[in-house]
Amino acid sequence: MKLSFLPIMMSEHVISVFDTSRGLPHFATLLFLGRFLCRFAATVPNPTRFHHHQRVPCIQDSNIGSACSKNAQIGCALTLLDADFFNDSQVLEITKGVKEFNIPIIRANRKLVASVNGGLHNPSPLVFNPEWSKEQSQGKTSRFNHPSASGIQRPNNEEDIAFMSVLELGELIKNKQITSEELTEIFLKRLRRYSPVLESVVTYTDDLAYQQAKEADKLLSQGVYLGPLHGIPYGLKDIISVPQYKTTWGSTTFKNQVLDFEAWVYKRLKSAGAVLVAKLVTGSLAYDDIWFGGRTRNPWNIEEFSTGSSAGPAACTSAGMVPFAIGSETAGSITYPAARCGVTALRPTFGSVGRTGVMSLSESLDKLGPFCRYAADCAVILDSIRGKDPDDSSSRDIPFGDPFSVDITKLTVGYLEDADMEVVHVLESKGVKVVPFKLNYTVDSVQGILNFTMDVDMLAHFDEWQRSGKDNDYEAQDQWPVELRRARAVSAVDYMQAQRARGKLIQEVKENFNVDAFIGNATDWERVCMGNLVGLPVIVVPTGFKSIPNPPPTGTRRRTTVNTGIYAPPNHDHIALALAMAYQSATNHHKQRPPIDDLGPNDTIPNPPTVSIPPRLLHL
């Protein structure tokens, strides 16, 4: 072989791997390319330069085509992607994942958007913002007209105080019935009391909390009132950076990491007078509820885990350990733990809240949102944190309407087959026009598009982490390590086809969203993927409880929470919030307290738990 011909020969095989329209499946072309690279490696003086880690060596032999195992051939092929650092078992894992997971998604997307040449139809929704200015937009949106919780009196015991709404606590502080410092002490005590059971707190921020509380009390004594969050304690998911405190991302690799800059959302809450009392658990690298310190439990049923990476914010809010918390969602990390732990939570329109200082999974999917017990509190908190972040080009000054002034009798609200009908009937009784509804779209690879987008974007942010073998130290080896190894074998072409398919989905959902909002299951995986890809806001609302499976014979107060989601079009979060507030004004499910102090005679904490959370599954 003459080296001068190498570019021509390699280019043909590169095309065969990354353009499967030639008819060869990816697995076959990968083997073919592996054989080629192994043959080529046998002809060069120092083939080890292609395998500097020597984890998957090529056999140097003239009969390499028959001598190389398929595993070695694929390992050789991975050198083309500069990804020769996987060991034998990981290469087999990648091969299996590509065949069973990647290829069906690739083929579905190609059939959907790549059957006509020229790229004139189905453009990608990913848009680059070339704006260089860092000046924050001013005055583009007015703030909400927050109601006053007038006539509120301070309860006699701390338990009742802990379960008051943010607006009620704000009224107590405003009228000087309680100080921010007193309130901070109450919630720090509750955090320390229940976190050992729930495994929900990473870092207590006592010094900062008392400093901020004293400042809030001082301002109030001087006649300065900053609004409904003035002096209110809260928690942050531990992917959000706060100076001088660890931001661990829930991971063993980063558990001692300190990022000395203020996240945008933290700045917004600080300027509103809120008091940070704790950094709350995130699943490791924002995946599910397993973190380096354990696994976060559901306060309503401690035999279960809280599920979803915003596990700490959901569990702590549910248990009255904080009045509210900020979590994040890329694919279900607000909706799932909110539903499991029985709290009210808002996944806002994409771009509503700036993400500077927040660990990134996917820049076109990541969103920050509030966990509360009341929909009205979610509205207040969204109002405080929304707006253009000068360092996050995806954030915008979105002109939301005021949810407290929406006339719901002028709305038409659809309900899906899996909607909680109590919500439908309550809203109908309040004058809302409710109609059966089905959101139709033809894109059949929605779940695959979400996984391609999230996993490839995540790998781009954690490339060095994987290359250095740190994924071997990850807390749950069937989670990110598997997904990100498989993502290594997604080509740029197939990633872009997935984005074009996403663009088609967005257009079809827009055309079929012919109601003001709709009600439906908040944790259906297809709907979670669709909503995140399109950027739909949804508020998760508790709607009741049912008995746990296999309860102790002597009875138990543990419950399984029941909930539903209220979805609105992008930039119409105020509609979903208004409907949720209307429903909660007639019901009290959101006011119930989990039985963490009265588990019953047989309700000890099982270790290990007897209930496991099934893994996320793809259904093509």
Side-chain angles (χ1 to χ4, degrees):
M1 180 187 294
K2 294 183 179 180
L3 294 181
S4 60
F5 294 118
L6 178 61
I8 296 174
M9 297 183 69
M10 288 192 69
S11 67
E12 293 173 353
H13 295 292
V14 169
I15 291 171
S16 74
V17 170
F18 293 120
D19 180 7
T20 55
S21 61
R22 295 192 172 197
L24 287 173
H26 274 55
F27 181 60
T29 54
L30 200 58
L31 286 176
F32 185 71
L33 179 59
R35 294 190 186 104
F36 164 75
L37 286 174
C38 285
R39 289 192 184 100
F40 173 68
T43 67
V44 298
N46 183 19
T48 58
R49 66 192 179 98
F50 294 94
H51 307 281
H52 55 278
H53 291 177
Q54 290 296 296
R55 296 192 191 178
V56 188
C58 277
I59 302 171
Q60 311 302 311
D61 190 284
S62 59
N63 297 318
I64 195 70
S66 59
C68 273
S69 67
K70 287 186 178 181
N71 195 29
Q73 291 164 15
I74 296 168
C76 289
L78 287 170
T79 65
L80 187 67
L81 303 176
D82 192 25
D84 60 342
F85 46 83
F86 296 110
N87 61 38
D88 284 352
S89 63
Q90 291 168 346
V91 169
L92 285 173
E93 172 195 285
I94 292 170
T95 304
K96 183 175 184 291
V98 168
K99 288 182 67 177
E100 297 180 358
F101 191 92
N102 290 18
I103 290 176
I105 299 168
I106 288 166
R107 289 176 174 169
N109 291 336
R110 189 190 312 127
K111 179 180 179 181
L112 188 69
V113 298
S115 58
V116 178
N117 294 322
L120 298 178
H121 305 289
N122 305 311
S124 166
L126 303 183
V127 178
F128 169 65
N129 184 349
E131 179 62 49
W132 285 10
S133 173
K134 290 192 175 184
E135 293 182 5
Q136 184 185 358
S137 302
Q138 299 290 340
K140 290 189 177 181
T141 58
S142 59
R143 314 315 292 183
F144 297 164
N145 181 28
H146 305 128
S148 174
S150 58
I152 299 297
Q153 297 297 315
R154 175 175 175 167
N156 293 325
N157 66 75
E158 293 183 355
E159 175 84 6
D160 292 337
I161 292 173
F163 282 94
M164 295 179 78
S165 72
V166 169
L167 286 171
E168 290 169 340
L169 292 172
E171 189 71 10
L172 293 184
I173 288 178
K174 183 179 180 181
N175 293 330
K176 300 181 180 178
Q177 296 187 53
I178 196 170
T179 66
S180 176
E181 193 170 356
E182 287 178 286
L183 208 54
T184 297
E185 183 178 7
I186 289 171
F187 285 105
L188 279 170
K189 281 165 54 180
R190 290 184 67 84
L191 286 162
R192 283 195 162 84
R193 177 177 179 180
Y194 296 116
S195 182
V197 175
L198 299 178
E199 300 181 35
S200 56
V201 177
V202 182
T203 303
Y204 301 95
T205 57
D206 300 60
D207 292 344
L208 176 64
Y210 283 117
Q211 175 189 332
Q212 292 181 339
K214 289 176 181 177
E215 178 64 20
D217 291 334
K218 179 181 177 182
L219 286 173
L220 195 60
S221 69
Q222 296 171 346
V224 178
Y225 181 64
L226 299 176
L229 300 187
H230 188 122
I232 303 295
Y234 73 100
L236 288 176
K237 182 177 179 178
D238 199 33
I239 62 170
I240 302 170
S241 64
V242 177
Q244 300 179 24
Y245 288 93
K246 293 177 182 179
T247 302
T248 71
W249 300 344
S251 166
T252 299
T253 307
F254 302 99
K255 68 179 182 179
N256 294 316
Q257 173 178 256
V258 176
L259 302 174
D260 276 325
F261 53 89
E262 294 183 332
W264 173 253
V265 69
Y266 170 67
K267 288 182 182 178
R268 298 290 289 173
L269 289 166
K270 186 170 70 168
S271 68
V275 174
L276 179 65
V277 291
K279 302 289 291 297
L280 307 179
V281 163
T282 172
S284 183
L285 302 184
Y287 193 129
D288 208 42
D289 50 22
I290 299 174
W291 59 295
F292 67 83
R295 193 169 187 184
T296 304
R297 298 179 185 275
N298 170 18
W300 277 101
N301 181 4
I302 58 169
E303 192 177 40
E304 292 182 331
F305 297 117
S306 57
T307 190
S309 71
S310 297
C316 289
T317 304
S318 174
M321 296 156 70
V322 288
F324 76 93
I326 302 298
S328 69
E329 172 154 330
T330 307
S333 287
I334 288 177
T335 50
Y336 276 100
R340 175 61 59 85
C341 296
V343 296
T344 306
L346 174 69
R347 183 189 76 205
T349 296
F350 176 81
S352 305
V353 183
R355 302 167 302 182
T356 299
V358 180
M359 191 202 89
S360 180
L361 269 71
S362 174
E363 288 160 30
S364 70
L365 291 171
D366 297 340
K367 296 160 291 294
L368 298 173
F371 286 80
C372 307
R373 287 184 292 277
Y374 296 72
D377 291 349
C378 286
V380 168
I381 293 153
L382 176 64
D383 199 24
S384 295
I385 61 178
R386 66 190 174 104
K388 174 65 179 174
D389 173 354
D391 294 312
D392 178 0
S393 60
S394 293
S395 66
R396 295 164 292 154
D397 276 307
I398 298 174
F400 291 131
D402 183 346
F404 297 101
S405 61
V406 172
D407 184 353
I408 61 172
T409 64
K410 295 181 179 179
L411 300 177
T412 299
V413 176
Y415 59 92
L416 304 181
E417 290 182 354
D418 58 11
D420 189 308
M421 293 307 294
E422 184 194 66
V423 180
V424 175
H425 296 321
V426 167
L427 293 178
E428 187 175 35
S429 72
K430 287 182 169 289
V432 177
K433 181 181 179 181
V434 294
V435 295
F437 179 68
K438 185 175 179 63
L439 188 62
N440 295 309
Y441 49 82
T442 65
V443 178
D444 59 0
S445 58
V446 169
Q447 299 172 36
I449 296 166
L450 186 285
N451 277 270
F452 264 27
T453 303
M454 177 177 66
D455 292 355
V456 172
D457 290 0
M458 175 67 174
L459 182 55
H461 290 107
F462 285 88
D463 187 18
E464 188 277 335
W465 178 77
Q466 186 190 72
R467 288 178 179 275
S468 62
K470 293 175 184 174
D471 58 342
N472 292 318
D473 299 325
Y474 189 78
E475 289 74 12
Q477 283 295 304
D478 60 340
Q479 295 181 355
W480 276 135
V482 171
E483 294 202 26
L484 298 188
R485 289 166 193 155
R486 186 175 63 228
R488 184 68 68 174
V490 177
S491 74
V493 169
D494 294 313
Y495 177 83
M496 285 308 301
Q497 301 297 28
Q499 300 317 307
R500 294 177 67 207
R502 180 183 181 184
K504 183 176 180 68
L505 172 69
I506 291 170
Q507 185 60 35
E508 290 183 348
V509 170
K510 177 182 177 182
E511 291 172 355
N512 285 276
F513 207 123
N514 56 10
V515 290
D516 295 300
F518 71 84
I519 304 166
N521 188 309
T523 57
D524 175 81
W525 181 238
E526 170 78 8
R527 199 167 304 143
V528 167
C529 293
M530 179 277 297
N532 279 287
L533 288 170
V534 175
L536 299 182
V538 59
I539 186 165
V540 181
V541 180
T543 59
F545 305 89
K546 60 184 180 181
S547 298
I548 64 169
N550 304 314
T554 55
T556 179
R557 292 189 60 224
R558 289 186 285 130
R559 295 289 182 268
T560 295
T561 59
V562 182
N563 58 84
T564 201
I566 302 176
Y567 299 77
N571 302 350
H572 289 71
D573 305 51
H574 63 293
I575 299 296
L577 285 163
L579 292 167
M581 287 190 287
Y583 170 71
Q584 290 186 343
S585 70
T587 58
N588 66 357
H589 305 304
H590 59 294
K591 297 180 181 180
Q592 303 306 305
R593 305 177 188 180
I596 51 176
D597 275 323
D598 183 14
L599 297 176
N602 293 334
D603 282 345
T604 57
I605 302 172
N607 192 14
T610 59
V611 177
S612 61
I613 306 304
R616 189 173 66 201
L617 298 176
L618 176 76
H619 303 287
L620 286 173

